[in-house]
């Protein structure tokens, strides 16, 4: 019989307030197989771990159980402790008596009773534990960064500076992302392009960075250290190597369409670069609007090109590349303001979003930096800002705060006053949230020095009378209705996940929340990692962030990716699925339910009645399997088992509870 130790943690007062920890430890002494039991205030601290190691050696323990907090938080801690004591790290169990007992029960006696039951079950499982070992896999020393906004660019540069090859991929035909559309950044009011453009150029010229723009990831196979990524390079209809970016084709192209980069406020040609500082600064042809590609007419760009770079026959190209790690930095979309019909969004041209205003204020924008109304080009004098449009609104399915809106509204009000001293800004808000360095001071300055009038309340309706927009709302601080004749209304539209965020998450095999933001492995201890090893998150794809936070997370993701790439080989998880081929029916149900694409079919030969026959069985890829157990519970022939959570171990826990 295995010799088991029990260690009960008080977790300061987190557990001890509602659980008699000393009583739990005392009762555990009588459990079958337990040869040592004690309690201590902080088992995860160095003295607590030393206590465990001393007990393992003194009492010759084969394994132990720690009753403490969640295994998600400290199971790795106690496994490393077991290794230092000379035990196999998988010979330990951790019981969660904090979240599952102390924090959910006010009755100390019942909390203690439940803790004893949980501990009894864990001891029964620990007696069935067997040593497990991990395998090793090689690492491809190359990284892929998906998304080339400021977060993706920073990640790529940091990884490349550490000597590793990086592919920086973006679906648009220029890097820069949303930040390229911004005029100035808060709270310093630095020129956004002055910050971003040098980073874009650095990424383009870095010897370790390969830029792949106008491309998308269509499939990801393989596992940590060896991801096989299928990339579809969309046809540009311009030979990238021949093109010099002279711009002659754009000047002569007769077809004008609304510019996506300018938020529809200005035109672009059918062959174009999105903005003057674009990197790479070489055009693509918009196949949906090019006259030649639509009806075979025109062809001016091809005729005028001095290097014969225009190629109407160009097709999409599909390539497969192998990478050791992947960083996802796909950014966000602006909330669709047309869902707020009461604000007239989409009906009244002078009801715009913050990004529209950014382009109007930008010197390279459609109005050369002059703020003009989209409807008639007049300079507005009364501007109304409405916060939390598409944020903190459960009715619109967006209950979360978009985090940056309060600050960019304050920035807009400040810049408008500087550009147009005669103007007046009115800001409707629910709350003002300025959680960042120098943010609160910036907000106060907007109020005091730049005459921004903040009105606490919601806007109920916006309608047009003549050339004015009538904004009706309330001032909840004085309890009265408010009506303002505005020349321009700016909606502080919130952030939402990219339209294809969920599809990409499924391609990558990473998790996402109910809104579509990508989910980290642990909000405190693993805020950069995903549940799929080797894939990391950077920037707003994980949730709303401002620029400094996105850059900080980008550098953190680069450190994680670099740490992985710097290893010669990786140790795979030991507690993974295993198929008993002798009883596997080859039905393939496990393959369909596996969220990590870790199971495949293979053919095996066996002798049946003296003859060799082939049959199909399931095989688990240890590099991909995360030990979630979905295959185990779905296997009709019980061929699938999770190492460390076998059917025998689980039944032992149930029996221990039934026989108490």
């Amino acid at each position: 019989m295995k010799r088991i130790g029990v260690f009960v943690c008080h977790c300061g007062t987190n557990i001890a307030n509602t659980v008699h920890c000393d009583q739990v430890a005392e009762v555990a002494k009588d459990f079958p197989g337990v040869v040592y039991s004690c309690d201590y205030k902080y088992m995860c601290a160095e003295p607590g771990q030393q206590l465990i190691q001393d007990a393992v050696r003194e009492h010759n323990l084969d394994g132990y159980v720690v009753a403490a907090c969640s295994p998600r938080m400290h199971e790795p801690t106690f496994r490393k402790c077991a290794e230092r004591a000379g035990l196999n790290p998988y010979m330990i169990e951790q019981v969660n008596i904090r979240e599952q007992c102390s924090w959910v029960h006010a009755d100390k006696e019942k909390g203690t009773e439940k803790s004893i039951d949980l501990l009894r079950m864990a001891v029964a499982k620990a007696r069935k534990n067997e040593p497990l070992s991990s395998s090793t896999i090689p690492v491809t020393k190359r990284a892929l960064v998906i998304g080339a906004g400021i977060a993706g660019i920073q990640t790529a540069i940091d990884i490349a500076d550490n000597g590793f090859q990086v592919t920086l991929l973006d679906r648009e035909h220029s890097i820069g992302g949303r930040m390229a559309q911004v005029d100035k950044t808060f709270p310093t009011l630095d020129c956004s392009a002055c910050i971003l453009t040098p980073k874009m150029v650095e990424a383009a010229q870095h010897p370790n960075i390969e830029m792949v723009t106008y491309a998308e990831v269509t499939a990801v196979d393989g596992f940590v250290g060896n991801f096989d990524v299928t990339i579809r390079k969309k046809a540009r209809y311009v030979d990238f190597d021949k093109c010099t970016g002279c711009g002659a084709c754009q000047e002569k192209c007769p077809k004008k369409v609304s510019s996506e980069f300018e938020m529809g406020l200005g035109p672009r040609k059918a062959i174009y670069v999105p903005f003057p500082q674009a990197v790479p600064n070489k055009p693509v042809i918009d196949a949906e609007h090019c006259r030649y590609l639509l009806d075979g007419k025109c062809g001016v760009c091809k005729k005028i090109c001095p290097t014969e770079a225009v190629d109407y026959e160009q097709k999409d190209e599909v390539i497969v590349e192998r990478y050791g790690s992947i960083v996802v930095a796909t950014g966000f979309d602006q909330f669709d303001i047309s869902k707020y019909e009461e604000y007239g969004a989409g009906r009244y041209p002078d009801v715009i979003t913050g990004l529209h205003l950014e382009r109007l204020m930008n010197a390279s924008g459609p109005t050369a930096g002059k703020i003009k109304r989209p409807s008639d080009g007049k300079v507005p004098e009364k501007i109304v800002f409405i916060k939390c449009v598409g944020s903190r609104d459960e009715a619109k399915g967006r209950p979360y705060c978009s985090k940056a809106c309060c600050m960019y509204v304050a920035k807009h009000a400040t810049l408008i006053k500087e550009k147009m001293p005669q103007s007046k800004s009115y800001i409707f808000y629910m709350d003002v949230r300025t959680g960042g360095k120098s943010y609160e001071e910036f907000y106060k300055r907007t109020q005091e020095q730049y005459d921004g009038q903040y009105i606490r309340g919601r806007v109920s309706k916006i309608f047009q009378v003549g050339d004015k927009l009538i904004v009706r709302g309330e001032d909840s601080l004085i309890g009265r209705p408010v009506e303002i004749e505005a020349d321009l209304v700016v909606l502080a539209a919130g952030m939402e996940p990219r339209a294809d965020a969920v599809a990409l998450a499924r391609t990558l095999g990473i998790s996402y929340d109910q809104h579509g933001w990508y989910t980290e492995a642990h909000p405190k201890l693993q805020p950069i990692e995903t549940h799929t090893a080797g894939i990391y998150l950077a920037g707003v794809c994980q949730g709303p962030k401002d620029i400094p936070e996105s850059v900080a997370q980008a550098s953190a993701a680069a450190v994680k990716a670099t740490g992985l790439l710097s290893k010669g080989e990786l140790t795979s998880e030991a507690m993974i699925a295993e198929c008993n081929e002798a009883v596997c029916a080859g039905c393939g149900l496990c393959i369909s339910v596996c969220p990590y694409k870790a199971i495949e079919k293979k053919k095996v030969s066996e002798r049946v009645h003296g003859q060799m026959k082939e049959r199909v069985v399931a095989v688990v890829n240890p590099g991909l399997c995360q030990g979630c157990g979905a295959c185990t519970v779905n296997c009709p022939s019980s061929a699938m088992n999770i190492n460390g959570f076998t059917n025998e171990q689980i039944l032992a826990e149930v029996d221990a509870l039934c026989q108490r």
Side-chain angles (χ1 to χ4, degrees):
M1 181 181 289
K2 290 186 174 69
R3 298 171 62 84
I4 305 299
V6 171
F7 303 92
V8 182
C9 179
H10 294 220
C11 196
T13 57
N14 279 307
I15 296 174
N17 269 350
T18 49
V19 173
H20 293 293
C21 296
D22 54 347
Q23 184 180 333
V24 174
E26 188 64 30
V27 172
K29 291 179 180 179
D30 297 327
F31 292 166
V34 174
V35 297
Y36 179 77
S37 179
C38 73
D39 61 289
Y40 185 70
K41 196 167 186 178
Y42 293 107
M43 281 294 176
C44 61
E46 187 175 349
Q49 293 186 56
Q50 190 59 51
L51 183 154
I52 294 174
Q53 293 172 55
D54 292 343
V56 169
R57 297 185 183 102
E58 182 180 346
H59 298 278
N60 196 26
L61 301 181
D62 297 310
Y64 62 80
V65 179
V66 181
C69 58
S70 169
R72 283 192 70 190
M73 181 168 286
H74 279 310
E75 189 174 57
T77 301
F78 295 119
R79 282 184 181 170
K80 290 176 183 176
C81 179
E83 280 190 293
R84 289 193 293 270
L87 291 178
N88 183 285
Y90 297 97
M91 295 299 288
I92 71 114
E93 294 294 325
Q94 184 175 349
V95 181
N96 186 358
I97 63 171
R98 188 179 71 178
E99 283 86 345
Q100 294 181 3
C101 294
S102 176
W103 285 0
V104 293
H105 296 294
D107 189 318
K108 197 166 187 175
E109 301 307 319
K110 288 184 178 179
T112 301
E113 182 181 348
K114 183 177 178 182
S115 298
I116 291 171
D117 284 344
L118 290 174
L119 189 56
R120 189 192 312 273
M121 295 165 67
V123 168
K125 182 173 183 290
R127 291 169 57 200
K128 297 288 185 180
N129 281 353
E130 296 295 335
L132 300 176
S133 59
S134 303
S135 58
T136 58
I137 51 179
V139 177
T140 301
K141 297 184 179 296
R142 243 178 118 202
L144 170 66
V145 178
I146 306 174
I150 183 59
I153 291 171
Q154 186 65 49
T155 301
I157 291 173
D158 286 350
I159 295 173
D161 283 345
N162 280 286
F164 296 102
Q165 295 293 317
V166 186
T167 297
L168 179 60
L169 181 145
D170 199 274
R171 65 190 303 176
E172 304 297 334
H173 49 277
S174 171
I175 64 174
R178 291 291 183 191
M179 190 175 172
Q181 294 179 283
V182 175
D183 180 41
K184 288 182 170 58
T185 62
F186 57 79
T188 55
L189 299 184
D190 291 321
C191 167
S192 179
C194 300
I195 300 170
L196 178 65
T197 305
K199 288 282 185 185
M200 294 165 63
V201 173
E202 183 181 357
Q205 296 179 350
H206 202 294
N208 288 337
I209 297 178
E210 175 196 16
M211 281 201 326
V212 179
T213 56
Y214 211 43
E216 293 179 339
V217 172
T218 58
V220 177
D221 298 306
F223 46 89
V224 57
N226 297 275
F227 293 107
D228 292 318
V229 182
T230 303
I231 299 169
R232 181 172 66 89
K233 294 182 176 181
K234 292 178 280 188
R236 307 172 74 98
Y237 303 105
V238 174
D239 190 309
F240 193 83
D241 296 325
K242 290 182 180 180
C243 179
T244 61
C246 68
C249 54
Q250 298 177 71
E251 292 178 10
K252 298 299 182 180
C253 178
K255 181 67 175 179
K256 290 185 179 181
V257 296
S258 180
S259 170
E260 298 85 356
F261 184 83
E262 300 294 355
M263 303 296 293
L265 295 173
R268 64 164 173 81
K269 299 294 183 71
I271 182 169
Y272 70 106
V273 292
F275 56 100
Q277 303 89 358
V279 175
N281 205 296
K282 298 182 180 183
V284 300
I285 294 178
D286 181 356
E288 294 183 1
H289 296 98
C290 174
R291 291 181 180 178
Y292 186 88
L293 292 175
L294 289 175
D295 53 28
K297 298 178 181 178
C298 188
V300 170
C301 54
K302 185 176 181 67
K303 296 172 187 175
I304 201 171
C305 180
T307 60
E308 299 181 347
V310 176
D311 179 8
Y312 295 127
E313 303 301 319
Q314 199 175 89
K315 303 294 183 184
D316 290 1
E317 179 186 359
V318 176
I319 60 173
V320 179
E321 300 283 349
R322 175 164 288 188
Y323 300 97
S325 64
I326 299 174
V327 178
V328 186
T330 48
F332 70 99
D333 280 338
Q334 184 176 246
F335 181 82
D336 180 9
I337 60 171
S338 66
K339 295 179 181 178
Y340 282 83
E341 295 181 3
E342 63 270 31
Y343 293 163
R347 287 185 290 127
Y348 306 137
D350 295 330
V351 177
I352 62 174
T353 70
L355 267 181
H356 287 94
L357 186 58
E358 293 285 354
R359 297 315 304 154
L360 291 174
M361 291 192 294
N362 195 289
S364 63
T367 58
K370 295 178 181 178
I371 301 174
K372 297 179 181 180
R373 302 199 325 167
S375 63
D376 55 17
K378 292 181 180 178
V379 176
E381 292 189 359
K382 285 187 178 181
I383 299 99
V384 170
F385 292 89
I386 303 175
K387 289 192 186 182
C388 299
V389 177
S391 299
R392 303 181 64 194
D393 191 341
E394 293 187 7
K396 296 294 189 291
R398 294 291 179 262
Y400 55 81
C401 172
S402 286
K403 208 167 186 177
C405 311
C406 286
M407 285 302 297
Y408 79 62
V409 167
K411 177 192 74 173
H412 287 160
T414 298
L415 293 174
I416 286 173
K417 195 66 176 179
E418 287 182 347
K419 284 176 175 285
M420 303 182 300
Q422 80 283 2
S423 67
K424 175 71 176 178
S425 294
Y426 301 87
I427 303 161
F428 284 89
Y429 72 100
M430 289 194 293
D431 296 293
V432 178
R433 298 181 173 183
T434 54
K437 187 176 181 180
S438 301
Y439 285 10
E440 180 68 15
E441 295 90 331
F442 185 88
Y443 156 63
K444 291 291 186 184
R445 194 162 64 248
T446 302
Q447 283 184 303
E448 297 165 3
Q449 297 180 22
Y450 292 92
D451 196 27
Q453 184 174 337
Y454 279 75
I455 303 169
R456 192 178 191 279
R458 301 285 291 187
V459 170
S460 61
K461 189 177 182 180
I462 297 174
F463 58 94
Q464 193 160 12
V465 176
D467 65 347
K468 298 290 185 180
L469 292 167
I470 309 302
V471 181
R472 285 182 178 172
E474 65 165 339
D475 188 332
S476 63
L477 296 180
I478 62 174
R480 292 181 182 178
V482 176
E483 185 172 293
I484 300 171
E485 277 192 6
D487 298 305
L488 186 68
V489 174
V490 182
L491 305 182
M495 303 178 192
E496 64 180 11
R498 297 294 295 253
D500 62 346
V502 171
L504 179 60
R506 290 171 178 168
T507 298
L508 294 168
I510 62 177
S511 55
Y512 51 91
D513 65 17
Q514 68 269 35
H515 308 297
W517 300 114
Y518 298 148
T519 307
E520 64 280 359
H522 191 285
K524 299 182 183 71
L525 303 179
Q526 294 176 293
I528 308 298
E529 295 96 325
T530 67
H531 288 292
T532 299
I535 300 182
Y536 308 101
L537 304 175
V540 188
C541 66
Q542 184 195 20
K545 296 178 182 67
D546 56 21
I547 293 170
E549 193 177 352
S550 294
V551 172
Q553 189 181 17
S555 291
V559 170
K560 289 291 183 181
T562 301
L564 190 155
L565 298 177
S566 64
K567 299 176 181 178
E569 55 185 23
L570 296 174
T571 302
S572 64
E573 176 60 53
M575 299 178 75
I576 58 174
E578 187 174 36
C579 179
N580 183 349
E581 296 182 1
V583 296
C584 178
C587 65
L589 186 59
C590 55
I591 297 174
S592 63
V593 300
C594 179
Y596 302 103
K597 305 175 186 175
I599 306 175
E600 298 175 345
K601 287 183 178 181
K602 75 169 184 178
K603 291 182 178 180
V604 294
S605 299
E606 60 184 10
R607 188 175 295 277
V608 180
H609 303 302
Q611 294 183 343
M612 295 300 295
K613 292 188 176 181
E614 280 190 346
R615 66 186 183 91
V616 174
V617 297
V619 59
V620 179
N621 185 328
L624 285 175
C625 181
Q626 302 293 310
C628 69
C631 57
T632 305
V633 297
N634 279 279
C635 181
S637 58
S638 298
M640 282 290 186
N641 242 332
I642 298 291
N643 292 329
F645 287 95
T646 63
N647 293 336
E648 185 181 15
Q649 289 171 313
I650 301 301
L651 289 173
E653 292 186 271
V654 176
D655 289 343
L657 190 60
C658 294
Q659 296 170 8
R660 60 178 174 166

